[in-house]
Amino acid sequence: MEKPNIAIIGAGMSGMICARNLKDAGYEPIVFEKSRGVGGRMATRRTSEGLQFDHGAQYVTAKNKYFQSFIDRLASAGYAAHWEVDGKNTFVGSPSMNSMLGSVAKDISLKLNQEIKTVDKVENGWALFSENQKQLFDIVVLALPAPQIINLIGRNNSLSRKICDIVMAPCLTLMAAFTPDQATPFITRREVNDDLAWIAQDSAKPQRSREITCWVAQAGDDWSRRYLECDKDEITRILTPMLCERLGISASGLLYSSAHRWRYSKVIVPLGRPYISDDSATLYLGGDWATGARVEAAWESGTAIASDILKLVE
């Protein structure tokens, strides 16, 4: 039997682990990603000043023993490192958060900076439409936030109606760097009722440069919703003094600050199962939104999708 052509849209954890499992089984999936690199919300921002910030997922924890084994393999190969947070056993990518997925992506066909605009059913499979191209595939995996999937396949698609009740909250993130002589009152701080719900000294993570003190601050759900549509420069202007106040330092030592808008950041109401597919098992939808707001949930979703595809085609 001829192996099917498989497209995966989204190079976050769910999409990349799905691609990795298919590749290891002898298939040649193609991963489309509108950004310039892999990671999704496990992202790392690098600046022209030579700074880096893990401005998406801050760390990874494991409950599933198979996911723990996956993280352990990454750590053994130098792509992940232990980082203690509030007494919890967590891991971060090394030397950056997206290093975890960079290792997974080796020898996988990646089409970066390629945004798929529409996914349509055709007689012999699925058509993917980008800016100037139409491509046909037998099987398509949409490893994206649920609202973005609905935009791709249309609200009238039967699968869209099954995921329309999924709720994802936004998050506005500030990245800021200060001279190293500034006080560092803590490494991480979580205050869920504060407008800055999470603050982390990003440069304190393993394998990071400590020449400049880099911080990542993520606004709480309510604040993020209220200011979601503001210009990013305005978000930066508001959040920077808030961070300085929480740290008890002067803005005079500020070297860099910038904001990022995560429109679909945290899963509030999940699907309740690892993935969903159409009746012909040729279109799969998955991501962390399927079961919960954790990197592990994305891994479980991508793993389950790959397993189902392999079961059906072999």
Side-chain angles (χ1 to χ4, degrees):
M1 178 180 177
E2 186 176 344
K3 292 181 178 179
N5 296 320
I6 303 173
I8 299 171
I9 303 177
M13 174 59 83
S14 55
M16 291 311 304
I17 200 63
C18 180
R20 179 76 268 157
N21 289 347
L22 292 172
K23 177 73 175 182
D24 290 346
Y27 292 79
E28 296 295 337
I30 298 176
V31 180
F32 294 88
E33 170 57 48
K34 67 179 181 180
S35 301
R36 59 185 178 184
V38 302
R41 280 165 285 155
M42 293 178 68
T44 299
R45 171 72 60 82
R46 293 176 175 84
T47 74
S48 58
E49 295 83 1
L51 306 173
Q52 74 170 47
F53 302 87
D54 295 334
H55 62 305
Q58 295 295 287
Y59 55 80
V60 172
T61 59
K63 296 179 181 179
N64 181 316
K65 66 179 182 180
Y66 299 107
F67 182 62
Q68 182 65 66
S69 296
F70 167 73
I71 296 299
D72 290 342
R73 290 195 299 272
L74 291 181
S76 296
Y79 295 111
H82 175 260
W83 190 47
E84 186 170 325
V85 177
D86 299 331
K88 292 193 300 185
N89 186 37
T90 80
F91 289 85
V92 295
S94 177
S96 60
M97 199 65 189
N98 61 0
S99 296
M100 289 185 176
L101 289 178
S103 66
V104 173
K106 287 185 175 179
D107 73 8
I108 288 175
S109 179
L110 279 169
K111 303 296 183 182
L112 301 176
N113 294 309
Q114 289 201 26
E115 182 177 4
I116 302 301
K117 304 284 190 179
T118 309
V119 176
D120 287 341
K121 187 75 177 76
V122 293
E123 183 177 357
N124 296 316
W126 295 90
L128 275 55
F129 295 88
S130 55
E131 192 70 42
N132 300 304
Q133 195 173 21
K134 172 185 175 182
Q135 300 176 73
L136 299 178
F137 291 90
D138 302 310
I139 297 174
V140 173
V141 178
L142 303 181
L144 300 166
Q148 292 181 340
I149 290 175
I150 293 173
N151 290 337
L152 273 183
I153 62 178
R155 293 190 175 276
N156 292 328
N157 186 293
S158 60
L159 292 183
S160 290
R161 292 192 288 271
K162 293 179 180 179
I163 65 172
C164 65
D165 292 330
I166 290 164
V167 178
M168 300 186 73
C171 179
L172 298 178
T173 296
L174 177 72
M175 297 159 279
F178 295 86
T179 55
D181 58 337
Q182 298 277 1
T184 53
F186 49 77
I187 300 300
T188 65
R189 192 203 75 158
R190 188 191 308 277
E191 295 287 348
V192 294
N193 295 320
D194 194 335
D195 288 340
L196 281 184
W198 167 263
I199 303 173
Q201 188 184 143
D202 203 61
S203 52
K205 292 178 180 178
Q207 306 302 316
R208 271 63 169 179
S209 172
R210 287 164 171 73
E211 293 182 5
I212 295 174
T213 306
C214 294
W215 292 88
V216 169
Q218 295 180 328
D221 292 352
D222 290 343
W223 201 95
S224 293
R225 289 190 189 95
R226 191 160 64 247
Y227 290 90
L228 181 62
E229 302 304 336
C230 287
D231 180 86
K232 283 192 283 188
D233 289 341
E234 177 70 3
I235 295 169
T236 302
R237 187 190 67 78
I238 298 172
L239 287 181
T240 300
M242 289 169 58
L243 175 62
C244 291
E245 190 274 330
R246 274 43 165 202
L247 296 176
I249 62 178
S250 169
S252 62
L254 181 69
L255 300 174
Y256 174 91
S257 64
S258 178
H260 183 83
R261 180 189 293 107
W262 296 104
R263 189 171 294 276
Y264 306 111
S265 172
K266 186 168 65 175
V267 183
I268 305 299
V269 179
L271 176 67
R273 46 182 163 144
Y275 65 89
I276 190 170
S277 64
D278 66 345
D279 292 337
S280 62
T282 58
L283 180 65
Y284 288 82
L285 319 182
D288 62 345
W289 52 264
T291 57
R294 303 172 69 241
V295 172
E296 182 173 23
W299 180 89
E300 290 173 339
S301 179
T303 300
I305 291 172
S307 177
D308 196 68
I309 292 173
L310 293 174
K311 180 178 65 178
L312 292 171
V313 301
E314 293 186 347

